[in-house]
Amino acid sequence: MSITINQPLDMHLHLRDKAMLKTVGPLSSASFSGAIIMPNLVPPVSTKEELIAYKSRIIEACGEDTFTPYMTLFFKPSYTKEFLKSVKDELTAIKLYPAGITTNSEGGVSGFDVNELRPTLDAMSELEIPLCIHGETNGFVMDREAEFVSIYEMLASNFPKLKIIMEHITTRESVEALDKFDNLYATITLHHLLITLDDVAGGMLQPHLFCKPIAKRPEDREALRRVALEGHPKVMFGSDSAPHPQHTKESCGCAAGVFTAPIALQVLAELFEGHSTIENLQAFVSNNAKAIYNHIKVPHKTVTLEKKPFIVPAKYGDVVPMYASETLAYSIVNIQG
Ligand code: NCD
Ligand code: ZN
């Protein structure tokens, strides 16, 4: 059994900076044609100069690989139309974080006052800049995403020309919202297709599966699997691969994030094949993203996977991946481009 994927895309990726970027950048650029790069550095990427400089550090870290980093800025309601016009050609989207909701998001938005957000969101609509959102309130942890759906709906109806991407959705409620508004789209991670809260905290605590949003209930995972496996056109793969050094995961006060970039395509192949939907994997990992982000240029690359055991390394540098030291059913056997 072998499958070839054209131009695989990861539409939500954390590459970090400095030594960590040098470790993890090549693990994505080896097998993906491109990725939407999250801006939650310290401090977050929020000026044109920072964005351009970060992009060149990513390109340098990825060496000779054919890989396009699609850059994002950290949303601020102070961004003016003039500023957005001046930076538009350098970015692919803007990422909005509610203040303090996840790693390095302290400078995010609080309150979601539509009048405060309107000038920036109107300008983004006009300039056709998509808005990616980490959709969680600061309510009870299992309810945060479902509670945020009303904010997604408020934004989708107030800004009908703005493409809004619900990032890393984890719930049935978010899946249902997708079909209610033409301008709502979603990314789904690898780990949320595979695990539930039981895998994180049902037995011994598993810090390497702890992330924001937290994995939810079996019925939520079912809803995510349904739309991913059918290749629903409004849903794209976004790994949310979020590396943290081992000591910050295996510690009191575990950092949130699951590191999946180097195993993502192999595990997706196994998941889709196991559900007899392998023909929809191309849509989920590339075609849907190209249609939704219709301005992006995607470099040519094909990745061939075969049903052949792959033993996941225990660590990549100082980062422990999901399924560390376990054996996966699929291996990458060839990459062209
Ligand atoms: C991400 C990180 O570590 O940057 N963590 C996570 O648990 N997903 C941030 C994010 O996307 O929420
Ligand atoms: Zn993320």
Side-chain angles (χ1 to χ4, degrees):
M1 177 78 203
S2 122
I3 169 158
T4 297
I5 301 170
N6 288 312
Q7 299 170 307
L9 291 169
D10 181 347
M11 303 311 279
H12 182 130
L13 177 65
H14 298 270
L15 286 182
R16 314 301 192 204
D17 213 345
K18 304 200 170 86
M20 183 63 97
L21 169 60
K22 292 199 169 74
T23 301
V24 301
L27 298 170
S28 285
S29 64
S31 53
F32 286 90
S33 279
I36 294 272
I37 309 299
M38 290 297 130
N40 63 332
L41 303 182
V42 189
V45 182
S46 51
T47 68
K48 183 175 178 179
E49 294 68 34
E50 286 165 354
L51 183 141
I52 291 172
Y54 185 35
K55 183 175 185 178
S56 51
R57 294 197 297 278
I58 293 169
I59 290 170
E60 193 189 328
C62 298
E64 297 300 302
D65 288 339
T66 313
F67 177 78
T68 303
Y70 303 110
M71 303 307 292
T72 64
L73 276 182
F74 187 98
F75 180 90
K76 290 191 178 167
S78 55
Y79 291 156
T80 62
K81 188 164 164 186
E82 287 60 44
F83 168 70
L84 293 173
K85 266 189 188 160
S86 76
V87 75
K88 177 183 161 37
D89 291 344
E90 306 294 338
L91 55 68
T92 301
I94 294 183
K95 174 72 186 287
L96 186 154
Y97 291 89
I101 204 67
T102 189
T103 314
N104 307 334
S105 62
E106 291 71 19
V109 169
S110 26
F112 288 90
D113 174 354
V114 73
N115 293 322
E116 189 198 356
L117 301 174
R118 187 173 294 283
T120 306
L121 296 185
D122 276 344
M124 286 175 63
S125 305
E126 201 178 306
L127 297 168
E128 298 184 31
I129 301 173
L131 178 68
C132 302
I133 303 186
H134 182 122
E136 291 194 282
T137 66
N138 47 26
F140 179 67
V141 69
M142 286 294 278
D143 298 335
R144 286 175 190 177
E145 185 178 299
E147 286 174 4
F148 198 89
V149 168
S150 61
I151 300 178
Y152 278 132
E153 296 188 347
M154 180 276 282
L155 293 171
S157 56
N158 272 280
F159 304 95
K161 296 221 160 65
L162 181 67
K163 276 188 179 167
I164 299 174
I165 294 120
M166 304 189 285
E167 294 294 333
H168 44 52
I169 59 170
T170 62
T171 60
R172 192 167 43 82
E173 288 82 355
S174 296
V175 171
E176 285 163 6
L178 262 183
D179 289 326
K180 289 194 206 148
F181 291 88
D182 285 349
N183 57 334
L184 280 185
Y185 304 86
T187 56
I188 300 182
T189 73
L190 178 72
H191 46 285
H192 292 119
L193 289 171
L194 291 158
I195 64 170
T196 67
L197 184 61
D198 248 6
D199 298 289
V200 186
M204 302 264 272
L205 189 66
Q206 300 299 320
H208 298 291
L209 298 181
F210 172 65
C211 66
K212 301 288 178 70
I214 193 84
K216 305 290 187 315
R217 307 178 64 84
E219 50 271 37
D220 293 304
R221 182 179 59 181
E222 265 328 293
L224 300 175
R225 283 187 176 182
R226 184 173 56 73
V227 283
L229 293 169
E230 76 179 24
H232 189 301
K234 296 180 92 184
V235 164
M236 352 168 225
F237 175 61
S239 69
D240 194 17
S241 180
H244 291 275
Q246 184 174 17
H247 73 276
T248 66
K249 294 290 287 176
E250 298 176 6
S251 76
C252 182
C254 166
V258 182
F259 182 57
T260 54
I263 61 156
L265 293 175
Q266 299 91 319
V267 179
L268 285 172
E270 183 173 352
L271 180 73
F272 277 66
E273 196 236 358
H275 287 81
S276 308
T277 55
I278 197 80
E279 69 280 5
N280 296 335
L281 183 55
Q282 178 64 39
F284 182 59
V285 295
S286 182
N287 299 1
N288 294 348
K290 281 195 280 183
I292 295 166
Y293 281 92
N294 54 357
H295 297 301
I296 58 172
K297 288 199 184 65
V298 184
H300 180 74
K301 184 178 278 185
T302 58
V303 177
T304 302
L305 298 116
E306 258 174 33
K307 207 162 198 181
K308 184 174 151 197
F310 170 60
I311 302 170
V312 179
K315 285 213 241 176
Y316 291 89
D318 192 22
V319 187
V320 178
M322 187 179 185
Y323 295 138
S325 306
E326 293 184 35
T327 304
L328 306 180
Y330 276 81
S331 301
I332 293 176
V333 293
N334 191 21
I335 299 173
Q336 300 276 328

